[in-house]
Amino acid sequence: GCNSPTMTTTITNVTFGDVYFCAGQSNMQLEMHFTFSKNYSYNNITQMGKYKNIRFFTGVEGNQPNATYVIPVNNGKNGEYRWNLLNSTTIDLFDGFSAACFYTAQTLTDKYGMSDINFGLIDTAVGGSIIESWIKNFTVPPRCVANTTNCPGPGCGGLYNGQVLPWINMTIKAALWLQGENNVGHNAAGQYGGNWMNNTGYACMELLMIEQFRANWSLVNGGEILPFGLITLGSGTSEGHQPDMGNFRWNQMLNFDILPPPADEVPSTFVVQAHDIGDPWYSGCGQCQNASAPYTANNTYGNGTNWYMGPIHFRPKQYTGERMAIQVAKFIYGQDLTWTGPLLSGCMIDDSKKMLTIMFNKTLMNGEELFYQPFEAWYDKSLTNEYQNAIKLNLEGNPKWQDINDSRVSISASDVTVMIDISNLYDSSGKQNITGIQYAWSDNPCCGNLNQKNFPCPMNMCPFQTAKSRLPAIPFWAQIVNNKCKCFAPQTCDA
């Protein structure tokens, strides 16, 4: 004890590094076991001894009525609720770890030269949780309009108490967030789905949550703003609320068209677009359980990857991690990378040419050209579809948005523009009445009218991308006023 000055205490297995706090609901929680790329990672760990720079910690699901500041103790000595190395003895435990979280650190290590950085990954995600659970209790109603949230209610604040507060004495490098499936049908308030600028819906609550996380961790991070990485929902994850997905993803973006926003209203906040990397199959699919089907969920022949509760938990999580690694490498470690897909800067209609031109932000392309990805089903070359371009136009007086035939769409790769022949939309007097334009504003916009209950949609199949980094264009919805695009605030697209 303290009265024995000759006593020496030795602490072993101490590691210093960058800790990432991974939170959200079931698609962040989804285990490595249910992902396409798990065997690649497992072989690298068990056969090649890689990723010794990565530690992982799986948190207990702690929905607590009161603030809890103690991390659960591991009484079972089974490796749970403690830091673990990645090796052959922990592979079974690692099989149940957050895939989206791990693939981020894996990509930083393999692709961005960070094998000398120790990464600590904390998985606190809870399946089925709503964002209100992750926000301090009694703080949602004063901030966000009552009928656009689920608070007050029994789920409010419980995970903030049990999953967030136990960790606030630890310095973390960033928080990574993937959540929303259980909020899609409940918090897309108003015509446009909620907006933090008028304190409605999911965007209001997400911003409040980010502020609270930062208020906690800035105390132990030397006052620095906690970086926050967001992931939009993948296709097929709307819990039956497909018509709300476009608006909801805009909420997840805090109503901006890009993060971090140009004026830095929400600093150190970045985003991964996931609308094009959901599960290839849709719920209710007929062939997806056949052992010989592409992207099969049947592992009879050893070539399948099982689902967890169906395609709502999308299996290609390696794409999520790869894209998050780009954001982290760019905004946390300062690497010079193309970090966003094409971003709408404006559009205009030329009535003399009967042409609508979409302009993307050339500066943000980082020297890359625009690429048009045609529909390609590698498993059946005979398959075709319509409306691969994912563009819809709104005509005055018509509540139904109109699909654009692929034959009417072309691009200029170097000018990063898209040209649409709209000659069929002029009346006999030579006038058109286009009032709005949407791109990729649906649940799964990437394979046109392909029936995903019968045929899977390959990943990364949305039409407009950066040519080298293959990042997808950011979904957008704009009004057309005086033949030019006008975006909804706080976005701007009037170039």
Side-chain angles (χ1 to χ4, degrees):
C2 296
N3 295 324
S4 303
T6 59
M7 178 174 288
T8 300
T9 300
T10 303
I11 302 175
T12 61
N13 199 24
V14 177
T15 302
F16 294 89
D18 294 347
V19 178
Y20 286 82
F21 185 81
C22 301
Q25 66 175 103
S26 52
N27 267 301
M28 176 61 86
Q29 187 183 29
L30 188 71
E31 302 171 353
M32 290 290 296
H33 178 79
F34 299 104
T35 64
F36 289 143
S37 299
K38 63 180 183 293
N39 289 337
Y40 170 84
S41 301
Y42 295 170
N43 288 338
N44 276 344
I45 294 167
T46 60
Q47 303 301 318
M48 301 178 65
K50 293 189 68 175
Y51 312 130
K52 294 185 183 300
N53 62 316
I54 300 175
R55 275 77 170 162
F56 67 99
F57 190 113
T58 305
V60 63
E61 295 186 11
N63 197 321
Q64 300 292 334
N66 300 305
T68 304
Y69 296 97
V70 180
I71 298 171
V73 176
N74 172 30
N75 293 319
K77 307 295 183 183
N78 58 358
E80 293 184 333
Y81 318 138
R82 73 179 188 193
W83 288 106
N84 292 278
L85 296 168
L86 279 171
N87 53 46
S88 57
T89 63
T90 61
I91 201 72
D92 288 341
L93 182 65
F94 175 61
D95 192 53
F97 188 74
S98 163
C101 192
F102 170 74
Y103 286 132
T104 300
Q106 174 182 271
T107 306
L108 290 171
T109 299
D110 287 348
K111 190 173 181 179
Y112 297 109
M114 300 189 192
S115 59
D116 58 339
I117 296 177
N118 290 318
F119 294 110
L121 309 178
I122 303 170
D123 172 15
T124 65
V126 177
S129 61
I130 56 177
I131 193 172
E132 290 91 336
S133 298
W134 296 88
I135 303 172
K136 187 176 182 180
N137 203 7
F138 306 118
T139 61
V140 174
R143 174 74 167 266
C144 306
V145 176
N147 63 356
T148 69
T149 78
N150 292 304
C151 288
C156 299
L159 296 179
Y160 176 85
N161 291 334
Q163 298 292 86
V164 177
L165 292 182
W167 297 96
I168 64 172
N169 291 320
M170 178 176 288
T171 300
I172 66 173
K173 198 70 173 179
L176 308 182
W177 176 256
L178 171 53
Q179 189 277 335
E181 299 91 331
N182 277 50
N183 284 97
V184 176
H186 308 288
N187 302 118
Q191 183 180 1
Y192 307 123
N195 194 312
W196 66 265
M197 297 182 72
N198 61 16
N199 297 322
T200 59
Y202 189 90
C204 176
M205 293 185 289
E206 186 178 67
L207 183 58
L208 176 60
M209 179 192 69
I210 292 172
E211 292 172 355
Q212 291 181 356
F213 277 36
R214 286 176 169 168
N216 287 326
W217 270 293
S218 66
L219 298 177
V220 293
N221 281 11
E224 295 184 4
I225 296 176
L226 174 71
F228 213 100
L230 304 168
I231 305 169
T232 65
L233 290 185
S235 59
T237 64
S238 66
E239 293 278 18
H241 300 281
Q242 290 90 342
D244 297 322
M245 270 295 247
N247 291 344
F248 190 79
R249 290 189 184 115
W250 187 46
N251 268 236
Q252 292 184 294
M253 293 278 292
L254 296 172
N255 306 116
F256 291 99
D257 43 10
I258 194 168
L259 290 172
D264 213 23
E265 296 95 330
V266 189
S268 299
T269 307
F270 40 85
V271 67
V272 166
Q273 304 294 335
H275 59 279
D276 64 329
I277 50 176
D279 202 274
W281 290 98
Y282 238 48
S283 295
C285 51
Q287 304 298 319
C288 49
Q289 293 287 354
N290 290 347
S292 59
Y295 307 110
T296 180
N298 185 326
N299 200 33
T300 300
Y301 301 142
N303 64 327
T305 300
N306 295 331
W307 275 319
Y308 178 69
M309 298 175 65
I312 186 173
H313 299 118
F314 53 102
R315 295 169 292 170
K317 283 294 191 297
Q318 74 276 15
Y319 287 92
T320 309
E322 289 168 1
R323 292 180 183 179
M324 182 56 76
I326 292 173
Q327 303 298 313
V328 170
K330 167 71 176 177
F331 293 109
I332 295 181
Y333 298 105
Q335 295 196 15
D336 183 14
L337 302 169
T338 301
W339 55 275
T340 180
L343 168 69
L344 176 71
S345 63
C347 73
M348 61 179 297
I349 294 176
D350 186 334
D351 285 322
S352 64
K353 296 180 179 179
K354 299 182 178 179
M355 186 75 66
L356 190 159
T357 301
I358 298 170
M359 291 88 75
F360 292 114
N361 186 310
K362 197 167 186 177
T363 301
L364 290 176
M365 298 289 286
N366 198 34
E368 295 193 36
E369 293 190 337
L370 181 66
F371 176 71
Y372 186 98
Q373 171 64 58
F375 173 72
E376 295 176 348
W378 58 267
Y379 55 86
D380 187 345
K381 298 295 185 181
S382 67
L383 274 180
T384 60
N385 71 9
E386 294 181 283
Y387 317 128
Q388 174 67 12
N389 61 80
I391 297 170
K392 294 177 182 288
L393 297 178
N394 188 227
L395 307 181
E396 186 176 10
N398 187 346
K400 182 176 174 60
W401 288 75
Q402 181 162 330
D403 293 301
I404 301 301
N405 193 285
D406 293 330
S407 64
R408 294 184 174 274
V409 178
S410 60
I411 72 166
S412 171
S414 58
D415 292 334
V416 295
T417 57
V418 176
M419 290 75 70
I420 306 170
D421 175 5
I422 55 172
S423 59
N424 63 317
L425 301 179
Y426 286 78
D427 61 23
S428 58
S429 65
K431 295 181 180 180
Q432 49 79 18
N433 59 350
I434 301 172
T435 60
I437 181 170
Q438 290 181 345
Y439 169 74
W441 205 257
S442 61
D443 183 10
N444 185 357
C446 298
C447 281
N449 65 341
L450 182 73
N451 185 345
Q452 282 183 251
K453 291 186 177 182
N454 296 326
F455 305 101
C457 177
M459 292 77 72
N460 203 27
M461 196 55 61
C462 266
F464 306 123
Q465 307 176 10
T466 48
K468 295 179 181 178
S469 52
R470 300 297 300 275
L471 294 174
I474 299 173
F476 63 80
W477 175 15
Q479 297 172 299
I480 293 182
V481 180
N482 297 325
N483 279 1
K484 290 188 176 182
C485 272
K486 180 182 179 182
C487 282
F488 302 101
Q491 302 174 96
T492 57
C493 59
D494 52 1

